[in-house]
Amino acid sequence: MADAGIILELERLSAGYTEEPVVVDFSIAVPGESITTIIGANGAGKSTLLRAIYGLNRHFGGSVRFLGQPIETLLPKDRLKLGIGFVPQGRCNFPLMSVRENLELGAYTLRGAAAADAIERVLAQFPLLAAKLPVLAGNLSGGEQQILEIAMVLEAGPKLLLLDEPSLGLSPGNQDQIFATIAELRGRGLTVLVVEQNAHGALQISDTGIVMELGRLFMTGPAAEVIADPRIKVAYLGGKAN
Amino acid sequence: MRPRGRSVDLNFYAQLLLNGIVIGVIYALIAMGLSLIFGVLEIVNFAHGEFYMLGAMCAYFLTVNWGFGYWPAVLIVTAVAISLGCVLYEALLGSLRGESFERSILLTLGLSMVLQNGAVFLFTTTPKMMATGLSYSNIIVGELRLPLSRLYALGLGLAAFAALYLTLYRTRVGKAMRGVAQNRDAALMVGIDPRAVSRLAVAIGIGLSGLAGAALAPVYAVHPLMGFSFVFKAFAIIIIGGLGNVSGAAIAAVMLGILESLVGGFLPLVMVDALAFISMIAVLLLRPQGLFGRGVRV
C-alpha cells in the first residue's frame, strides 16, 4: 500500500432508510491507494454503509469527507463527478442494451472526446469487453457482467471505488478473476472499499479489514490481523473455536 | 349502407384502411406516452387521456375562437402540453415511484376527474366541431377520397413516432431514459439523475398526448369526456404491446386502429369499442407478456 494520505473519512456516520438508522456512529479513515474490505453478518449494515457514502439513502448524522471535503449533502451524480464510484450489489447494468450502449452510458458524466477516450481506455483495460460490444449485457455471464459494471464506473475516472459484493453469485474461477481485477486497480492508484461475503478471498488481497456488527464498527486493523483473529476466524472464515 | 361492386368495395376497404391507420397512429401517440411514463416512472397515469382532451380543446379554441391556423395551433398545443408535463411531474408524480403504485393510481385517477369535470364545467359536454379550411379539403386518388385533415394527423403521428424513436435510440438523454427504465440503480451508478430523466419522460408523454388531441381535433368531435374512454383503450394497447414496451405499444396501436376501422365497416360502433378489450383479454390469456415482450423496452 502506498502512503497516499486519507482519501475517505467517516465520523460518527449514521444512515439508513426509514425512521431508525441501520449504520450507527460509524467512524473510519480509509487511506488512499489501498483495498479495505468490510465483512460482517447479513444485516450488519455493510451495504447500507456503502450506499450512504454514495448518497443513496437517508443521512441521519455524522460526516462523510472525501479528500477533506464534506459530501453528505451532494447527490450521487455529484459524488461520482468528484471521484467516488459505486458498483451496487447484484446485476447492475442495462440488460436490454448492448455492451457498447452500456459503456456509452458509463461515460454519461463525460462529454465528446472525453467520453470516447474513457470507453477506449476501459476496453484496453478489459479486452474481453471489446469482443462483446454488440452483445446484450443481460446475455453476458455473471463474471463478464461484473467486469462490465466495474468498467462502466471506471469510465468516470473515480479515485475511490465502492464495490458491494462483487463476487456474489459467481463461480470460484470468476471470483478469482474479480479479486485479481480489484488488486490490479489498486496497482493503478485506485482506492477500493469492498463489502464481501467471501471474506477470505477479499481479505487476502486487502490492506485493511473492517468488521461490522449490528450497524456498528466491531473491529478494524490490517487485513492480516483480522484474518488471524480467532473470533473472526470462527464467525466469518469457517474456522473452529479453540 | 355498404357500397356494392368489386371496384367500389376495394375503394371502401382502402378508405377503411386509411381511416384505421390514422386512428391507429393517434392511438400510438397516446399509448407510447403512457408506456414511456410507465417504463421510466413505474406509474400508470390515469389522467393521460385528459391531456389528449385538453390538447383537442385548446386546438379548438385557438383555431375557432382566436383565429390561429392548424399548424400554429398544433405547435402551441404541443409546447403547452410539454410544459404541463413538467408541472405535472414536479407537482404530483415526482414524489411517487414503484413502491407507491396504489397511491399513483388514486392520485392520477383523481387528477383525471378534476380535469374532466373542470372541462365539463367550463365548456359543457356539447360536442364541438373544429371547422377550419382543412375540414372540407380532400385529395382525390382514383376513386379514393383522402381528407386532408386525416392525412395531416397521420403525418404528424408518424413524425412524432420517428422523433421519439430517434430520441430514445440516438441521443444521450434518450439512452439515459431507457437506462432508468431498465435499471434505476445502474443509472445512479453511472451518474444519471433519475429525476431529470423522469421529468423529461413525463413531458414527452404528455406532449405526445396533447399533440394527438390537436392533430385529431379537426377529425372528430371535441368534448370533455373524449379522453377518459381513450385512456382505457390506451391501457389495453400497452398491455397488448407489452407493458413498458414503447415500440410494441406503437405497433399494437396501429394494428388495433386498422382492425377497428375494418370491423367498423360492418358492425355497430359499440361492438368496435369492445375490440380493444377483447384483444387485451385474448393476449392476457394466450401471451401474458404482450405480443412484443413485456418489460422495460423503452
Side-chain angles (χ1 to χ4, degrees):
Chain A
M1 175 177 69
D3 184 12
I6 299 301
I7 190 168
L8 177 75
E9 197 171 4
L10 311 180
E11 201 175 316
R12 298 181 65 86
L13 175 68
S14 294
Y17 302 97
T18 50
E19 297 307 313
E20 292 292 321
V22 176
V23 172
V24 185
D25 282 342
F26 200 93
S27 302
I28 53 166
V30 177
E33 297 179 27
S34 67
I35 299 175
T36 300
T37 292
I38 305 172
I39 61 173
N42 283 336
K46 308 182 296 292
S47 296
T48 305
L49 178 68
L50 288 198
R51 295 180 80 84
I53 296 169
Y54 195 61
L56 291 174
N57 48 21
R58 185 175 167 192
H59 177 253
F60 283 80
S63 68
V64 183
R65 279 194 296 278
F66 177 67
L67 292 169
Q69 179 184 341
I71 59 167
E72 307 90 52
T73 56
L74 295 185
L75 291 172
K77 67 183 173 75
D78 297 320
R79 298 188 198 209
L80 179 63
K81 285 177 188 168
L82 208 59
I84 301 177
F86 174 49
V87 182
Q89 191 182 117
R91 296 285 71 87
C92 201
N93 53 55
F94 306 110
L96 301 173
M97 291 189 196
S98 67
V99 168
R100 177 181 290 284
E101 284 182 304
N102 272 267
L103 291 175
E104 284 169 4
L105 281 180
Y108 188 78
T109 54
L110 307 172
R111 290 284 191 279
D117 289 348
I119 294 173
E120 289 305 316
R121 194 182 70 239
V122 294
L123 284 177
Q125 196 171 347
F126 303 106
L128 74 91
L129 296 178
K132 306 266 184 177
L133 285 176
V135 179
L136 290 183
N139 289 343
L140 297 177
S141 71
E144 288 168 339
Q145 288 189 46
Q146 190 67 55
I147 294 287
L148 171 63
E149 290 155 20
I150 292 174
M152 287 162 71
V153 173
L154 290 180
E155 284 177 68
K159 300 178 186 75
L160 169 66
L161 187 59
L162 311 171
L163 298 176
D164 193 357
E165 306 271 11
S167 76
L168 187 71
L170 301 185
S171 66
N174 280 333
Q175 288 190 16
D176 291 344
Q177 185 189 8
I178 290 295
F179 290 134
T181 301
I182 295 170
E184 189 194 326
L185 292 174
R186 173 183 52 190
R188 291 171 182 262
L190 246 77
T191 307
V192 183
L193 185 57
V194 56
V195 160
E196 245 317 318
Q197 286 288 351
N198 180 353
H200 196 266
L203 284 170
Q204 277 192 326
I205 58 160
S206 295
D207 303 292
T208 307
I210 291 174
V211 185
M212 280 185 82
E213 275 193 7
L214 300 173
R216 293 174 187 271
L217 180 66
F218 175 72
M219 176 186 180
T220 182
E225 282 181 22
V226 173
I227 290 176
D229 189 290
R231 294 166 300 174
I232 305 306
K233 268 187 181 169
V234 171
Y236 304 111
L237 302 174
K240 290 180 181 172
N242 291 327
Chain B
M1 190 200 297
R2 190 153 52 93
R4 295 181 180 191
R6 192 170 178 279
S7 69
V8 179
D9 271 351
L10 278 179
N11 287 331
F12 176 65
Y13 288 126
Q15 197 77 54
L16 289 179
L17 186 65
L18 173 75
N19 291 349
I21 292 172
V22 172
I23 191 67
V25 166
I26 298 301
Y27 283 163
L29 286 186
I30 296 171
M32 284 190 310
L34 201 57
S35 194
L36 183 67
I37 292 172
F38 177 81
V40 175
L41 282 85
E42 298 168 27
I43 281 175
V44 179
N45 179 21
F46 276 89
H48 206 72
E50 307 317 328
F51 293 96
Y52 161 71
M53 177 271 289
L54 288 176
M57 281 283 178
C58 285
Y60 171 83
F61 285 110
L62 282 170
T63 50
V64 175
N65 288 28
W66 295 334
F68 281 86
Y70 176 74
W71 294 108
V74 167
L75 276 177
I76 293 169
V77 166
T78 307
V80 169
I82 288 171
S83 309
L84 274 180
C86 292
V87 173
L88 174 69
Y89 178 78
E90 290 300 335
L92 296 177
L93 303 184
S95 61
L96 301 172
R97 271 212 59 230
E99 58 267 26
S100 322
F101 192 69
E102 296 86 354
R103 211 149 59 93
S104 75
I105 290 176
L106 293 172
L107 197 147
T108 56
L109 204 53
L111 178 66
S112 166
M113 294 298 166
V114 169
L115 293 174
Q116 193 183 120
N117 288 297
V120 169
F121 176 73
L122 290 173
F123 313 122
T124 75
T125 52
T126 309
K128 298 168 173 56
M129 291 306 300
M130 182 173 140
T132 66
L134 274 184
S135 305
Y136 308 104
S137 307
N138 297 293
I139 291 177
I140 310 292
V141 180
E143 293 181 41
L144 256 185
R145 176 183 293 176
L146 309 174
L148 212 50
S149 55
R150 285 178 190 264
L151 288 178
Y152 281 176
L154 178 63
L156 277 170
L158 292 175
F161 178 73
L164 179 64
Y165 187 87
L166 289 175
T167 302
L168 289 175
Y169 286 88
R170 294 282 182 268
T171 69
R172 183 171 164 273
V173 73
K175 286 178 183 177
M177 239 183 284
R178 289 165 57 210
V180 171
Q182 288 183 25
N183 191 330
R184 198 177 178 90
D185 266 355
L188 284 163
M189 177 183 89
V190 296
I192 295 170
D193 180 357
R195 276 191 69 86
V197 166
S198 301
R199 188 191 306 117
L200 183 63
V202 175
I204 291 175
I206 300 298
L208 288 174
S209 213
L211 171 64
L216 269 197
V219 179
Y220 295 113
V222 176
H223 58 90
L225 307 179
M226 63 192 285
F228 200 64
S229 56
F230 234 81
V231 80
F232 281 102
K233 204 171 272 186
F235 285 141
I237 288 167
I238 65 174
I239 288 168
I240 294 168
L243 267 174
N245 185 336
V246 173
S247 306
I251 297 168
V254 175
M255 283 166 57
L256 182 71
I258 293 171
L259 186 68
E260 276 188 355
S261 184
L262 291 177
V263 173
F266 303 93
L267 293 179
L269 192 63
V270 285
M271 295 301 293
V272 172
D273 275 344
L275 270 176
F277 302 100
I278 292 170
S279 310
M280 181 189 78
I281 292 167
V283 166
L284 282 174
L285 289 175
L286 301 173
R287 196 174 156 81
Q289 72 273 32
L291 292 181
F292 306 101
R294 184 179 177 149
V296 283
R297 295 161 190 267
V298 172

